Amino acid sequence: MNIGNVEINGKLFLAPMAGVTDIAFRKICRDKGAAFVVTEMISAKALSFNDKKTFDLMRLLPDEHPAAVQIFGHEPEIMAEAAQRVHEETGCEIVDINMGCPVPKIVGNGEGSALLKNPKLIGEIVSSVKK
């Protein structure tokens, strides 16, 4: 299977789960046959503040590739900077934009699933991140 130009050799994918898909859990899943893993969601804003805990969450092991790092936020410029930084720091093949998290503190900031109420903003975020 391919996602864009990323070839994934296998059928098992590990979905991102906040508080679950840490580096140890992803390692176990890779060892048990997951062909593709995604980190916990990473705050684009926290990355812009150089938060150490955030960098720990997005760390990938050399044998985790191909992999994705999931970011969340609502500001196109900050999301674009986060995507660039995530790619540079981790070497991930894919940057995933969270648009599904329903947790009140995420939705309350206009992030996660709240983005689905604003297709124009989604377009701006995706366009910024793609550049």
Side-chain angles (χ1 to χ4, degrees):
M1 168 184 245
N2 289 342
I3 299 176
N5 62 353
V6 178
E7 184 176 345
I8 300 166
N9 296 312
K11 296 179 182 180
L12 295 177
F13 286 46
L14 176 63
M17 295 173 278
V20 177
T21 53
D22 62 15
I23 200 162
F25 186 74
R26 293 192 317 267
K27 171 122 177 69
I28 292 168
C29 292
R30 288 295 286 211
D31 290 348
K32 296 297 181 185
F36 186 77
V37 297
V38 184
T39 66
E40 299 182 59
M41 62 183 185
I42 305 298
S43 167
K45 184 71 91 175
L47 276 178
S48 72
F49 292 129
N50 293 315
D51 180 70
K52 182 192 177 325
K53 201 169 168 183
T54 301
F55 281 90
D56 290 343
L57 287 174
M58 71 180 194
R59 189 169 64 99
L60 295 173
L61 297 172
D63 65 347
E64 283 191 272
H65 296 272
V69 174
Q70 186 183 79
I71 60 174
F72 74 94
H74 68 277
E75 300 164 286
E77 300 80 25
I78 291 175
M79 291 288 281
E81 290 169 15
Q84 181 67 34
R85 191 136 189 216
V86 159
H87 179 69
E88 289 171 358
E89 296 282 337
T90 69
C92 67
E93 289 76 14
I94 296 173
V95 175
D96 179 56
I97 300 170
N98 181 298
M99 294 185 205
C101 181
V103 173
K105 77 176 190 177
I106 303 295
V107 172
N109 288 328
E111 301 164 341
S113 62
L115 288 173
L116 298 176
K117 294 180 180 178
N118 192 341
K120 183 177 182 286
L121 180 58
I122 290 172
E124 291 170 11
I125 289 170
V126 171
S127 178
S128 292
V129 167
K130 185 177 181 218
K131 287 179 190 172

